[in-house]
Amino acid sequence: MTVALDETLEAFGFLFGALTFDQVRYLSEVVGHLTGSYTEEGIRRWWVRPRSAGLAGLAPIDLFEKGWRPGDTGPARVLALAAQQSGNHT
């Protein structure tokens, strides 16, 4: 597991409570897409930086709420953006 994934899981756990297996797998996939294009610090910042392309000025973290599921609209948009960043369109 990378430092970026560890930090992402810790932050999401702090914000949203205990994570389900599906949430951990989803976050691992997002971080995996970003790993080739961003440094550890860049991945940390990616979650909180507003994005005009694909997210209408919101930061990726803004598209999550308590009880989120990987298939929800917001997380699906975030995953698509991360995949686009790596060139792997899901």
Side-chain angles (χ1 to χ4, degrees):
M1 196 173 327
T2 67
V3 172
L5 179 57
D6 284 344
E7 291 177 350
T8 298
L9 294 175
E10 184 177 335
F12 269 77
F14 178 78
L15 292 170
F16 303 109
L19 299 173
T20 67
F21 174 78
D22 288 339
Q23 289 171 325
V24 170
R25 189 174 67 183
Y26 164 89
L27 293 169
S28 179
E29 186 175 357
V30 171
V31 170
H33 284 303
L34 299 174
T35 298
S37 302
Y38 289 88
T39 64
E40 301 281 337
E41 178 65 22
I43 292 171
R44 190 171 26 258
R45 290 179 180 176
W46 186 88
W47 289 102
V48 297
R49 186 176 299 134
R51 306 274 169 189
S52 56
L55 301 184
L58 297 173
I61 194 69
D62 294 334
L63 279 82
F64 295 83
E65 53 189 43
K66 191 169 178 73
W68 67 272
R69 294 182 313 235
D72 291 345
T73 302
R77 288 173 59 196
V78 170
L79 180 59
L81 180 63
Q84 194 174 52
Q85 300 279 293
S86 70
N88 296 323
H89 304 285
T90 58

